[in-house]
Amino acid sequence: MKVNQNFSRLEQSYLFIRINQMVAAYQEKHPDVQLLRMGIGDVTQPLAPAVVEAIHRAAEDMGRAETFHGYGPEQGYPFLREAVAAYYREKGVELSLEEIFISDGAKNDLGNLLDIFSQDNVVAVPNPVYPAYVDTNVMDGRPIRYLEGAMENQFLPGPPDFHADLIYLCSPNNPTGAAYDRQQLAAWVDYALEHDSLLLYDAAYEAFLEGSDLPTSIFQIPGAERCAIEICSLSKSAGFTGVRCGYTVIPKALEREGTSLNALWLRRQSTKHNGVSYLVQRAAQAVFTPEGRAQTRQILDIYRGNARLMADTLRELGIAFWGGVYSPYLWLRCPGFDDSWAYFSYLLENAHIIGTPGAGFGSAGEGFFRLSAFNTPEATRQAMEQLRRLHSNI
Ligand SMILES: *Cc1c(COP(=O)(O)O)cnc(C)c1O
C-alpha cells in the first residue's frame, strides 16, 4: 500500500495551529491576562431565533411517522433550493432548481469539486488567499500559479498574462476584505471565455455587500453562466459555521470538452454524498424567510458596527488598511514591522490582541495582518482601546 505522496508537499503547519500554540505558550506564562481574539474567522453571535424554531419543528417532524424523513435527495430538498432560487432572483439571476446543489458547507464543496477536474489543469490562485484553495490542489498534485495581490492593485488581481484552467476568486476576499466591482469581474469572465477556463467563485461573504452596488454573484456578469461555478455558504452570513450548510451553483450552460459540468457534479454527488440532514436544510430554509432575513441582518449589523469601529481606529492611528466596509475583515499594513509574525507577537504581548499574520495566507501577505470583526462589540471596543494605547506611543 502506498500513501498519497502529494501530502508531503503541503506547508508543514496549518496557520491556526501555529497561532494556537503561540497563544497557549503566552497564556501559560501569563495566566491572568485576558486575551482578545480578533483572529479566527468564526462567528460569535448565536443563531437567529427563526432558525432555532425551524430546527425544533424539524425535530418534531422526525419524531412522527407521517412527517419522518429518511434519505433525502442528493442535491437537496426542493423547498430549500426554491428558497435559494428566489434569493438569486432578487439579485437578477434566474436559476433552475437543477442548477442549485445544497452542500454541508463551502469548504467541503471547494475540495470535493476537484473530483470532476483533470489532474493536469493549471490552477491560478490569488496571493494572499484562503489556504484551502492551495492545499486541496496540492493534495491532488495540480500545478499552481499565483495571481499577485498587492497595495498597487488593492489586493484585487486581474487576469494574468499566462494561461490558467481553473481560477479561484473570492469576493469579498478572505483575508483582505477587498471586493471586485462589475468591471473587474467582467474582465475575469472575458478571460475565462477566451481561455476556456473555469472560474471557481467563492461568495462566502456576499451577504456583507448589502447596501453596496458591487456584484454579489458572478452570475450577475453576462457570460458567467458559461465559465463559472459559484460556491456559497450560510456560515458567515447566518452563523452556520457549526450547523453546516451551503449551496453551490453550476449552470446547465456550463460545458467543457462537450461535457456538462452540472451532470458530472450530480453524478459525483449521487455516488459520494447522501445529502445534508433534513434538520439542517429546514434551518437553512428559515434563513431565507422574511423573519429569518430580518434577524440575520441584525446579527450582521453587529459585525458591521465592529468593523466600522476598527476602521475608524486604524484611520485615526494612520495605519493603512483594506476591507472593513463590505467585509468582516480588515487587512492592515503592519505598523513598524515587515515581519507579520513579529507583529503578531508584538500585538499579543503588548496589547493582548490575537490577530492573524498575513504571511499565513501566502507570500504576498507578508508585512500585512488580518483583524476580524467576528466578535462582541464589547471585546471589539476593548481591543481597539488597547490598540490605540499601543500605537499612540510609536
Ligand atoms: C469561512 C470560509 C469558507 C468556509 O465555509 P463553510 O461553509 O463553513 O465550509 C469558505 N470560503 C471562505 C473564503 C471562507 O472564509
Side-chain angles (χ1 to χ4, degrees):
M1 181 279 183
K2 291 176 182 146
V3 299
N4 181 349
Q5 286 300 337
N6 291 322
F7 276 66
S8 64
R9 294 188 192 94
L10 293 167
E11 286 282 335
Q12 269 320 308
S13 133
Y14 189 63
L15 170 63
F16 293 103
I17 295 175
R18 183 166 168 200
I19 291 175
N20 289 341
Q21 284 166 349
M22 290 174 74
V23 170
Y26 178 82
Q27 197 82 83
E28 198 175 332
K29 266 193 256 160
H30 309 272
D32 299 330
V33 171
Q34 278 282 357
L35 294 175
L36 294 158
R37 294 174 191 276
M38 312 295 287
I40 311 290
D42 197 354
V43 293
T44 50
Q45 299 295 321
L47 293 170
V51 171
V52 175
E53 266 167 50
I55 297 174
H56 280 299
R57 277 197 308 272
E60 294 298 328
D61 286 350
M62 293 300 270
R64 279 192 304 264
E66 314 82 68
T67 46
F68 170 77
H69 286 73
Y71 286 126
E74 286 89 356
Q75 227 184 312
Y77 283 104
F79 64 75
L80 180 53
R81 285 188 284 147
E82 272 156 20
V84 172
Y87 183 60
Y88 272 82
R89 203 167 302 129
E90 283 175 34
K91 300 171 185 278
V93 176
E94 280 300 326
L95 297 177
S96 72
L97 294 199
E98 294 73 48
E99 295 178 303
I100 300 164
F101 295 82
I102 305 304
S103 74
D104 51 350
K107 194 182 198 177
N108 312 45
D109 267 17
L110 281 162
N112 294 338
L113 273 167
L114 296 179
D115 269 7
I116 65 170
F117 309 130
S118 164
Q119 304 305 35
D120 52 15
N121 283 305
V122 173
V123 179
V125 175
N127 179 15
V129 82
Y130 182 62
Y133 307 153
V134 175
D135 289 354
T136 50
N137 279 291
V138 170
M139 287 175 185
D140 276 4
R142 277 189 203 84
I144 297 176
R145 307 224 22 201
Y146 289 94
L147 308 163
E148 300 298 336
M151 293 194 275
E152 292 69 33
N153 60 14
Q154 311 290 316
F155 297 96
L156 291 168
D161 52 14
F162 56 83
H163 172 83
D165 299 300
L166 291 172
I167 298 151
Y168 287 84
L169 298 177
C170 177
S171 181
N173 189 274
N174 178 8
T176 68
Y180 284 110
D181 66 22
R182 213 164 279 272
Q183 206 178 343
Q184 290 165 324
L185 284 185
W188 272 112
V189 167
D190 286 347
Y191 172 94
L193 290 173
E194 196 174 307
H195 284 254
D196 226 16
S197 324
L198 178 68
L199 304 177
L200 293 169
Y201 194 75
D202 184 340
Y205 296 94
E206 59 86 24
F208 285 87
L209 292 168
E210 190 170 7
S212 79
D213 54 6
L214 298 168
T216 58
S217 164
I218 187 74
F219 299 119
Q220 290 168 331
I221 310 300
E225 69 284 355
R226 285 178 285 122
C227 66
I229 290 177
E230 182 156 289
I231 300 101
C232 289
S233 170
L234 296 179
S235 281
K236 315 299 167 31
S237 60
F240 269 48
T241 49
V243 179
R244 312 303 307 144
C245 197
Y247 44 93
T248 292
V249 177
I250 309 187
K252 287 275 202 181
L254 184 57
E255 283 190 9
R256 287 295 179 272
E257 298 186 296
T259 305
S260 156
L261 296 192
N262 181 292
L264 280 191
W265 181 241
L266 180 60
R267 187 72 177 86
R268 189 272 176 206
Q269 289 297 77
S270 307
T271 303
K272 293 197 184 181
H273 180 72
N274 254 337
V276 177
S277 91
Y278 173 73
L279 289 87
V280 165
Q281 293 193 63
R282 282 294 184 198
Q285 181 191 23
V287 172
F288 295 99
T289 60
E291 201 188 6
R293 291 278 287 277
Q295 291 169 356
T296 48
R297 189 173 293 129
Q298 265 178 16
I299 294 168
L300 289 192
D301 279 343
I302 296 175
Y303 301 136
R304 285 197 190 98
N306 292 344
R308 207 173 310 123
L309 173 66
M310 293 159 76
D312 288 345
T313 307
L314 293 177
R315 220 172 278 123
E316 182 190 314
L317 293 170
I319 298 171
F321 70 97
W322 293 262
V325 187
Y326 296 114
S327 157
Y329 298 123
L330 289 94
W331 180 250
L332 51 121
R333 180 81 186 82
C334 298
F337 287 83
D338 288 326
D339 180 322
S340 59
W341 280 103
Y343 184 63
F344 172 86
S345 297
Y346 177 74
L347 211 54
L348 175 66
E349 287 160 23
N350 299 290
H352 305 148
I353 294 170
I354 306 168
T356 314
F361 298 102
S363 57
E366 186 55 289
F368 296 88
F369 205 76
R370 190 189 77 176
L371 288 177
S372 156
F374 289 129
N375 217 321
T376 60
E378 298 71 40
T380 306
R381 251 194 306 277
Q382 181 76 34
M384 289 307 104
E385 213 163 281
Q386 287 168 203
L387 191 75
R388 200 177 283 126
R389 211 172 303 141
L390 178 70
H391 284 302
S392 323
N393 299 336
I394 287 190

